[in-house]
Structures are given as structure tokens and as C-alpha cells.
Amino acid sequence: MSRRGGGRGPPQGGGRGRGGGPYAAGPGGNCVCPNCGKSVSHQAGVPCYQRKCPNCGSTMVRQ
Ligand SMILES: [Zn+2]
């Protein structure tokens, strides 16, 4: 899966899932907007910080 916006941190090969890092909280879960509180279901392979709130356009964070 190619990432847009340049590499942030070292590429991780193979180690997807558990114990990968701060963003590897496992499948499922939600992303939440810190601005308006809107939450959406997290998509695998799409970090919450790369998603925009459908309400206000803020960058979302993992809930
Ligand atoms: Zn929002």
C-alpha cells in the first residue's frame, strides 16, 4: 500500500498488526475528531491522522 504525503518514520516491513508502534492499535476501532467529536469507523491501512472529519475537516485521531 503506498502512502501519500511522504514517509513519516521508517518503513515497516511485514510487522503489521500487533506491537508495531503507536498507530498499531489493532484492527477495528474508531477514529474521532478532536474538534467536534465526530467518530467514524477506522479503516485498516488508513491511519486516523490521515483522515479528515466529515463534519469539520479536522484531522482525526484514534479513539
Ligand atoms: Zn470534526
Side-chain angles (χ1 to χ4, degrees):
M1 191 137 328
S2 64
R3 296 182 176 217
R4 292 174 53 181
R8 193 179 269 221
Q12 296 178 357
R16 244 165 201 272
R18 274 173 181 268
Y23 303 113
N30 288 323
C31 299
V32 64
C33 173
N35 189 44
C36 72
K38 172 75 173 178
S39 64
V40 299
S41 56
H42 176 252
Q43 293 180 7
V46 184
C48 290
Y49 63 82
Q50 287 187 356
R51 303 197 62 180
K52 297 292 178 64
C53 173
N55 277 353
C56 67
S58 293
T59 301
M60 307 192 80
V61 297
R62 183 174 276 279
Q63 195 168 33

